[in-house]
């Protein structure tokens, strides 16, 4: 493809679909059951309109903000997503792109690259952790992230282990061994550019999770780590408070959609929450995060940073979230499509698209700063929001 630049996230998705083997692309789409939440996360934004001005607009605009003590150039950061083996650069390329655009990187504990390498690429890295194993095992992962230089911890708790999808789940191998290569050869050969990108590095996609163990030790496979997660009893609020104390620094609880949970999170001492439903991969039928955001932000937004994760496809979506009370938004699929389409440059391309769209909306709304955004900038239909809990 002569021109690797793309003008929308939708085009990044189309290019990712063309480049990636069918199963790999299917893993990025994911979702669960009927896909109600997956769809609502995206389409809910189209129900919100803007109320623009036509004269007296600000000649310049300041998009910078601060999240969990970190200054970022605009209110978009990278959400932690597991095993970014859609491109040989993986999480390091993703982190470097975020750093190049002045924003923070969320690194999953299910990542395919070590936290030390990712922090080296982007010092503004928040390490994400699941409640897996014993407290001692969890504490060891926390200490490794701290030693690596991570500047914040994200605890993700929104998962109900729903596996069925009406459109079928992708087939992903446990490891990329000879047997898997033979089995998936037709898919890979149908996407020669993707195959060649890995062949040039001399390495095949890594489906292990090195951050689940001590530095330098062989990590479990993604499915091995997932199985351990399924076998671990879910955490209590006391466990959340314990984890926050173990970290002792900026701490985000990801996966909140209810007001009562948001208040309990504040009581547990968190620095931030992300209104998230795991990109629609969790409990299907959960409302879109943009619908749940206003009630949560009203309840606790004056005490902690409130972020939103889910459905962001353009800068205007991010503006709508900030206007409804979010400090910033986190992107997952959009950045993965950029990574798949063109590596680090593709992620930078996605971030540029979102920044440009954000600034364009801010201009039309007549504001010079993100801090001036409010619900008055939007056309909000009756019954749009959902007050949970």
């Amino acid at each position: 493809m002569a021109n690797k630049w793309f003008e929308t996230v939708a085009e990044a998705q189309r290019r990712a679909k063309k480049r990636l083997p069918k199963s790999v692309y299917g893993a990025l789409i994911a979702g669960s059951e009927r896909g109600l939440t997956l769809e609502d996360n995206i389409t809910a934004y189209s129900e919100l309109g803007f109320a623009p001005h036509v004269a007296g607009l600000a000649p310049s605009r300041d998009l910078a903000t601060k999240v969990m003590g970190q200054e970022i150039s605009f209110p978009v950061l990278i959400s932690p997503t597991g095993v970014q083996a859609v491109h040989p650069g993986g999480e390091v390329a993703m982190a470097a792109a975020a750093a190049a655009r002045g924003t923070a990187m969320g690194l999953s504990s299910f990542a395919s690259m070590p936290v030390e390498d990712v922090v080296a690429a982007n010092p503004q890295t928040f390490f994400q952790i699941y409640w897996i194993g014993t407290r001692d095992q969890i504490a060891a992962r926390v200490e490794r992230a701290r030693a690596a230089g991570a500047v914040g911890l994200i605890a993700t708790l929104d998962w109900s282990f729903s596996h069925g999808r009406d459109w079928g789940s992708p087939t992903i191998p446990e490891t990329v061994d000879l047997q898997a290569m033979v089995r998936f050869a037709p898919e890979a050969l149908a996407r020669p550019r993707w195959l060649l990108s890995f062949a040039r590095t001399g390495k095949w996609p890594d489906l292990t999770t090195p951050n689940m163990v001590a530095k330098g030790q062989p990590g479990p496979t993604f499915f091995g780590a997932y199985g351990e997660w399924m076998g671990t009893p879910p955490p209590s609020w006391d466990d959340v408070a314990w984890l926050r104390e173990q970290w002792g620094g900026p701490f985000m609880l990801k996966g909140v959609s209810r007001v009562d949970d948001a208040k309990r999170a504040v009581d547990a001492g968190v620095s931030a929450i992300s209104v998230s439903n795991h990109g629609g991969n969790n409990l299907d039928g959960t409302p879109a995060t943009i619908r749940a955001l206003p009630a949560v932000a009203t309840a606790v937004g004056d005490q902690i940073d409130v972020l939103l994760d889910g459905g962001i496809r353009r800068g205007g979506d991010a503006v709508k979230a900030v206007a409804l009370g979010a400090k910033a938004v986190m992107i997952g699929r959009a950045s993965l499509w950029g990574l798949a389409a063109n590596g680090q440059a593709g992620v930078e391309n996605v971030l540029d698209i979102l920044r440009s769209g954000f600034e364009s909306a801010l201009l039309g709304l007549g504001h010079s700063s993100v801090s001036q955004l409010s619900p008055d900038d939007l056309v909000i239909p009756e019954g749009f929001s959902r007050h949970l809990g």
Side-chain angles (χ1 to χ4, degrees):
M1 190 175 295
N3 184 9
K4 294 186 177 181
W5 177 85
F6 43 84
E7 62 180 314
T8 66
V9 171
E11 176 59 22
Q13 181 180 358
R14 284 191 288 269
R15 294 190 186 186
K17 186 175 183 179
K18 289 180 180 179
R19 185 180 182 90
L20 296 174
K22 181 179 179 181
S23 293
V24 178
Y25 178 76
L28 298 191
I29 296 297
S32 68
E33 298 183 348
R34 289 179 61 189
L36 298 174
T37 299
L38 177 66
E39 181 179 7
D40 196 32
N41 268 354
I42 300 168
T43 59
Y45 287 96
S46 66
E47 297 178 28
L48 296 170
F50 288 121
H53 294 279
V54 294
L57 305 181
S60 61
R61 287 149 297 284
D62 180 10
L63 274 61
T65 191
K66 182 184 287 189
V67 174
M68 295 216 297
Q70 296 296 308
E71 299 279 356
I72 56 176
S73 64
F74 73 122
V76 177
L77 54 153
I78 303 297
S79 187
T81 55
V83 187
Q84 295 177 11
V86 298
H87 184 275
E91 292 85 0
V92 169
M94 184 79 77
R101 294 301 182 261
T103 194
M105 167 76 179
L107 177 68
S108 173
S109 55
F110 283 177
S112 62
M113 293 185 171
V115 59
E116 293 81 9
D117 294 352
V118 174
V119 172
N122 189 338
Q124 289 184 298
T125 294
F126 301 136
F127 182 72
Q128 178 271 344
I129 196 165
Y130 294 109
W131 190 263
I132 300 176
T134 66
R135 279 192 173 190
D136 286 345
Q137 290 173 310
I138 293 167
R141 293 177 204 125
V142 167
E143 289 308 314
R144 179 178 173 185
R146 190 197 317 278
V151 294
L153 193 72
I154 300 173
T156 302
L157 303 184
D158 61 326
W159 199 249
S160 57
F161 303 104
S162 175
H163 301 108
R165 300 176 178 92
D166 286 358
W167 53 94
S169 295
T171 303
I172 302 295
E174 178 85 8
T175 59
V176 182
D177 54 16
L178 181 59
Q179 183 180 8
M181 289 181 187
V182 171
R183 182 181 179 188
F184 287 90
E187 278 194 35
L189 291 172
R191 296 292 187 267
R193 287 186 299 144
W194 177 84
L195 187 62
L196 182 60
S197 69
F198 279 95
R200 285 171 175 163
T201 69
K203 298 179 180 179
W204 298 114
D206 188 351
L207 303 184
T208 62
T209 55
N211 298 308
M212 290 294 293
V213 293
K215 181 180 178 181
Q217 297 297 310
T221 65
F222 172 83
F223 290 108
Y226 188 86
E228 185 179 0
W229 186 16
M230 289 183 67
T232 302
S236 66
W237 283 107
D238 286 342
D239 290 326
V240 173
W242 170 84
L243 183 56
R244 193 268 307 163
E245 291 170 3
Q246 288 294 307
W247 177 248
F251 181 95
M252 179 192 298
L253 183 64
K254 186 173 181 291
V256 176
S257 60
R258 295 172 57 105
V259 170
D260 50 359
D261 281 349
K263 292 178 177 178
R264 291 292 299 271
V266 171
D267 292 341
V270 308
S271 313
I273 58 173
S274 176
V275 178
S276 172
N277 51 41
H278 224 104
N281 294 340
N282 190 24
L283 186 63
D284 197 34
T286 303
T289 51
I290 191 67
R291 298 188 193 278
L293 171 66
V296 172
T298 298
V300 301
D302 60 343
Q303 301 173 73
I304 58 172
D305 292 344
V306 175
L307 287 83
L308 174 138
D309 192 329
I312 300 293
R313 298 294 183 269
R314 58 196 80 246
D317 295 341
V319 168
K320 291 171 182 178
V322 174
L324 291 178
K327 193 72 177 290
V329 301
M330 305 175 79
I331 59 169
R333 288 187 181 90
S335 54
L336 286 170
W337 290 327
L339 182 66
N342 194 24
Q344 178 180 335
V347 181
E348 292 174 4
N349 196 157
V350 165
L351 290 170
D352 289 343
I353 289 166
L354 296 178
R355 183 185 179 93
S356 176
F358 197 110
E359 186 163 13
S360 178
L362 205 62
L363 169 63
L365 294 170
H367 296 315
S368 61
S369 170
V370 295
S371 63
Q372 297 171 336
L373 288 166
S374 77
D376 292 338
D377 294 309
L378 305 180
V379 179
I380 307 172
E382 185 177 354
F384 174 81
S385 299
R386 301 289 187 271
H387 189 296
L388 307 182

